Amino acid sequence: MTAVLRTPAAPPTVRDEPGGSWAAVAALALFETRRLLTRVPVLLAFAVYLGWTVWRSGKAWGGYPALQDADRATQTAPMLVGLAVLLCVNHAALRSRRHGTEQHFGVLALPPWRRTAAHALSVVAAALLTGVCVAAQFGWEALRPGAIGRGSMGELLVGPLTVLLFGLAGLLVAGLVRSALAAPLLVVFCLFLSVFGTGSGEGWERWLVPVVVESTSNTLPSDLLGRPAGWHALYLAGLALSLGLLAVLMAGGRKPVVVAGVAGAVAMTLLGGVAQARGDSPELVRARERATLDPEQVQSCARRDGSTYCAFPEWQPRVDDWAGVVDRVRSLAGGRAQVQDVVVRQRVDARYGLTGDAALTPLERPHEVTVGTQWGGNRVPEFSAAVAGVLVAGNEKASTSICDGRIVTVMWLALGWESDPMAALRRVRLNDTVTGSDSVLQPTDGLYMTAAQTEVLRALFERPRGEVTARVKDRWAELTSPKVTAARAAQLLGVPAPEGDDKCLD
Amino acid sequence: MPGLTRALVLPACRTLPWRLVGAAGVAGLLLAALTRTTGETGERLSLPLLRAAVLAFAMGLVFLLDDPARHTTATVPAPRPLRVALRVALVLPAVAAWWTSALLLVPPDVRPPVADLTLEAGAAFVLAVTGAAAAVRFTDVTRPGPLVAAGLLTSAVLAVLFWPKRWALFVPVEDDRWAAAHDRWAVVLAGAVLVGGVCAVEPVRRRWGRGGV
């Protein structure tokens, strides 16, 4: 008995054993991760995030995404997950205090700052999961056959980094204010900021918030975007790291390496924050002007069936889609128009970046058609109408000012090849109407259809396609001569004379 | 019973979570005061800011029924509806004062219609307390506050995002649906009061499977 008592008690080995404590931190982090990811708000947030993303991915960009836009579309929804993680991490970090077990943990070998580190690691896991979701969303868009352009890593990192930032902010707040009220109040503030302050302002301040949205849906070549995505990701990462390390520091982890880490993270934040605020460089402004005013200098041209298609390098895979539309429109035309070669010129107004989109002016060179940077959905009949206009009127400037019965021919060429011409007519008109007068959208200025022209066109769509095509080819010269009225066009095409108004809008 | 109520007023007043309600109130007033600094965008921002302020204050009210001693008071002669009603009655003047000052903080020329917004705020506050009452009624937790706060926030976010347009609740002032939306807010308020009243009753027996005796 005495001998047993005399044996010196073995000193606690946990602290001395290298890695022992860290194994405990890893085990705790695993436990906290499982708890965090199965909390109701986080589960709900992920469900809403995934549901909304899947639902939206079917509609956006009509199946022809530009990846420099698709990467930005991954940013806003993770904020919801971030808010839920903020709430739940804060709740978890205050758990031992709430249940009065703080004193019990005091006897454990795991000091409070390591427990805080474990909570921080659980936030990292949530951010990684968000990263997987973002990667899946972007990968889905990138794998579409119609995808063009280039995504940016910096933009893709914003979603996961937002979750990390919000979660670590919740952890820091749990260290600062030991009250269950702090996190909900913080969420209310964040909600308000995220709804009304998502960087919609001007100047450098707008880059201070996690997600910076753009006011237009203009698609630009990726080198003309001028968004400091990489620097912003660095800024967010630095900010998140500072908050997390500060939380560890506050919990008593006053190791030199933690202090150095805080200093490094703050330096990262400052570097990113300053670099992202520099604004557009003179080279970028020049490149934007060149792409807007002299696109020939940066575009390359491809030939298909005699027609020329000039596009920015990233849009070269779209040439076949455009050529398909041009072919179909020409196949409906008669006279010289059915063999007329056109020049399709891609144009974009990049001078204002993503802050505003200006309308393009019609081209005046003969048989040259403008195509925009977006495709799919309504953009197809709009381009088709522009091609038809040029085939009938000779150039884009003349075609957008047509104000007589030739509109019937133009719209027949533009929509007659569609499988459902009436639906296409609805999509291409400004107010989504199929009766009465309305404007027709085009990549540049639009056309104007009177009620009488609409009536004749609808009558044509109800006839068999082959019969109408034969009549159009037959009477091509008369149908495309200026000053032909809608009533005359109806007579030539063998449909009842329209009753509606045939007066053009000036 | 009146004597009992009188005797309960002071202890109930002492146990109310005044600090939490106060902190939430200060945060809400800060949000409301932001309308004074936003300049010409104040007109557009005053309604969302006031709604955010209401949500912030509701975050404090969800702690109203936190009672660490609730398991010891299940059998006392003062029934639970009375104790809940007492807490609500005690906090009511504070809520009224808070809401008045929040409204006064908004400059008069950008202030949204007061009566309609009071209805919204009332519905939000009653929903918060009803949530707490429901948590007390259906669980054994002594401090349901944090859970109810998380639930209320989550449902607020989901409601703003996904509430069907046909029954729109969160409409801007100039919208034609403003009047109809406030009829719906009245329905929400009435429903919340009803559910709250039902939930305030002490259950006859514990639901089985929840924490033994």
Side-chain angles (χ1 to χ4, degrees):
Chain A
M1 194 65 197
T2 339
V4 173
L5 280 180
R6 228 180 263 152
T7 321
T13 52
V14 186
R15 272 169 200 274
D16 302 332
E17 193 183 311
S21 251
W22 286 112
V25 169
L28 185 58
L30 212 61
F31 168 80
E32 292 294 354
T33 303
R34 205 172 57 232
R35 292 237 6 177
L36 177 66
L37 295 182
T38 49
R39 290 291 308 277
V40 175
V42 175
L43 282 178
L44 261 177
F46 265 109
V48 169
Y49 166 45
L50 290 178
W52 190 74
T53 307
V54 169
W55 178 71
R56 261 227 12 205
S57 73
K59 316 175 109 187
W61 304 296
Y64 292 88
L67 297 184
Q68 57 264 38
D69 290 345
D71 59 3
R72 260 178 295 138
T74 63
Q75 293 180 350
T76 34
M79 278 209 282
L80 192 67
V81 177
L83 290 178
V85 168
L86 187 164
L87 203 64
C88 293
V89 164
N90 186 277
H91 201 236
L94 292 173
R95 191 193 307 127
S96 59
R97 192 186 129 82
R98 203 166 47 246
H99 293 169
T101 48
E102 202 84 21
Q103 290 86 346
H104 302 277
F105 285 140
V107 301
L108 291 183
L110 208 59
W113 69 271
R114 294 208 170 186
R115 277 188 274 140
T116 306
H119 281 294
L121 287 177
S122 74
V123 178
V124 173
L128 285 178
L129 190 60
T130 315
V132 171
C133 296
V134 165
Q137 183 188 355
F138 183 75
W140 175 255
E141 295 294 345
L143 288 177
R144 282 181 193 271
I148 53 110
R150 208 148 37 85
S152 145
M153 200 60 201
E155 304 279 11
L156 291 175
L157 280 175
V158 166
L161 284 177
T162 308
V163 174
L164 191 68
L165 178 68
F166 281 12
L168 292 178
L171 190 61
L172 180 63
V173 166
L176 287 174
V177 189
R178 304 203 146 264
S179 157
L181 180 67
L185 283 184
L186 192 64
V187 171
V188 173
F189 271 101
C190 288
L191 264 183
F192 181 77
L193 280 182
S194 66
V195 173
F196 297 98
T198 28
S200 47
E202 288 285 317
W204 60 273
E205 312 93 56
R206 74 187 197 122
W207 285 96
L208 294 181
V209 295
V211 176
V212 184
V213 294
E214 299 292 349
S215 48
T216 73
S217 55
N218 202 1
T219 300
L220 297 183
S222 54
D223 48 342
L224 301 182
L225 285 178
R227 280 172 63 92
W231 291 118
H232 187 61
L234 184 75
Y235 161 78
L236 283 183
L239 202 58
L241 216 60
S242 317
L243 294 183
L245 288 173
L246 264 181
V248 171
L249 202 65
M250 301 261 321
R254 301 217 162 75
K255 297 268 174 117
V257 59
V258 178
V259 177
V262 171
V266 170
M268 245 169 96
T269 315
L270 286 179
L271 176 67
V274 170
Q276 73 185 359
R278 278 179 312 183
D280 300 341
S281 66
E283 295 86 51
L284 177 69
V285 172
R286 268 200 300 280
R288 281 175 171 173
E289 272 180 7
R290 195 165 60 235
T292 308
L293 303 174
D294 307 302
E296 303 85 3
Q297 295 179 8
V298 284
Q299 289 178 341
S300 49
C301 297
R303 291 181 76 83
R304 298 275 191 287
D305 292 334
S307 295
T308 312
Y309 299 85
C310 297
F312 292 106
E314 287 173 323
W315 274 266
Q316 288 299 333
R318 288 272 162 87
V319 165
D320 289 325
D321 294 314
W322 299 333
V325 171
V326 171
D327 270 356
R328 291 193 192 98
V329 174
R330 281 200 304 195
S331 71
L332 294 181
R336 270 187 44 73
Q338 54 186 324
V339 290
Q340 177 64 51
D341 296 333
V342 294
V343 178
V344 174
R345 165 80 56 198
Q346 188 175 37
R347 290 165 69 207
V348 66
D349 195 335
R351 280 173 295 181
Y352 312 102
L354 290 166
T355 52
D357 38 4
L360 296 167
T361 49
L363 292 167
E364 293 182 33
R365 289 182 289 253
H367 299 112
E368 194 162 343
V369 191
T370 300
V371 66
T373 47
Q374 295 174 343
W375 192 246
N378 296 358
R379 303 294 96 77
V380 179
E382 285 169 23
F383 173 63
S384 179
V387 173
V390 165
L391 288 182
V392 169
N395 72 52
E396 214 168 54
K397 178 89 179 162
S399 84
T400 49
S401 49
I402 294 181
C403 182
D404 49 51
R406 283 180 294 169
I407 291 281
V408 174
T409 318
V410 169
M411 292 313 291
W412 166 255
L413 297 187
L415 307 176
W417 56 271
E418 297 258 9
S419 55
D420 185 356
M422 207 62 96
L425 178 66
R426 187 188 295 280
R427 285 188 292 146
V428 81
R429 303 222 306 180
L430 180 62
N431 299 316
D432 293 347
T433 57
V434 286
T435 52
S437 58
D438 201 348
S439 295
V440 172
L441 295 170
Q442 285 195 358
T444 59
D445 294 348
L447 299 172
Y448 184 78
M449 286 179 84
T450 64
Q453 290 156 4
T454 311
E455 219 177 303
V456 178
L457 189 66
R458 285 172 57 95
L460 290 182
F461 288 156
E462 279 154 20
R463 296 289 181 89
R465 186 174 299 168
E467 184 194 319
V468 179
T469 310
R471 272 180 178 273
V472 169
K473 284 178 189 276
D474 217 26
R475 310 280 158 80
W476 182 257
E478 283 173 88
L479 282 172
T480 56
S481 69
K483 303 297 170 207
V484 63
T485 61
R488 175 73 184 137
Q491 193 188 357
L492 289 169
L493 293 167
V495 293
E499 289 166 4
D501 189 17
D502 197 11
K503 190 106 170 77
C504 222
L505 202 72
D506 292 322
Chain B
M1 195 63 95
L4 179 67
T5 313
R6 256 198 308 282
L8 269 176
V9 167
L10 211 60
C13 193
R14 274 217 314 273
T15 54
L16 277 184
W18 288 117
R19 283 173 59 185
L20 285 173
V21 175
V26 170
L29 289 182
L30 275 178
L31 276 170
L34 276 183
T35 48
R36 291 190 168 265
T37 63
T38 44
E40 58 185 32
T41 51
E43 178 110 39
R44 190 172 60 87
L45 282 184
S46 64
L47 181 66
L49 270 172
L50 265 177
R51 279 182 178 150
V54 166
L55 188 60
F57 191 54
M59 286 303 123
L61 288 182
V62 296
F63 293 88
L64 189 68
L65 302 186
D66 282 15
D67 181 6
R70 65 171 277 205
H71 296 306
T72 64
T73 54
T75 53
V76 296
R80 194 198 277 171
L82 175 70
R83 283 176 279 135
V84 170
L86 204 59
R87 283 181 176 230
V88 172
L90 281 172
V91 87
L92 213 55
V95 174
W98 179 86
W99 180 236
T100 314
S101 37
L103 281 176
L104 288 178
L105 273 176
V106 182
D109 46 330
V110 299
R111 199 180 292 155
V114 170
D116 288 339
L117 213 58
T118 305
L119 185 66
E120 283 186 29
F125 297 154
V126 172
L127 271 178
V129 179
T130 298
V136 170
R137 170 72 177 73
F138 294 109
T139 67
D140 277 345
V141 290
T142 51
R143 296 174 185 273
L147 292 175
V148 181
L152 192 67
L153 262 184
T154 312
S155 30
V157 173
L158 293 183
V160 170
L161 285 179
F162 297 112
W163 195 263
K165 286 218 168 43
R166 206 191 318 171
W167 302 303
L169 283 176
F170 305 94
V171 290
V173 179
E174 64 278 0
D175 201 297
D176 325 329
R177 298 169 296 171
W178 178 264
H182 286 83
D183 292 347
R184 290 179 209 120
W185 275 110
V187 173
V188 170
L189 176 63
V193 169
L194 205 68
V195 174
V198 171
C199 286
V201 179
E202 185 107 39
V204 178
R205 58 180 64 84
R206 278 191 192 172
R207 300 200 311 157
W208 55 273
R210 283 218 176 247
V213 193

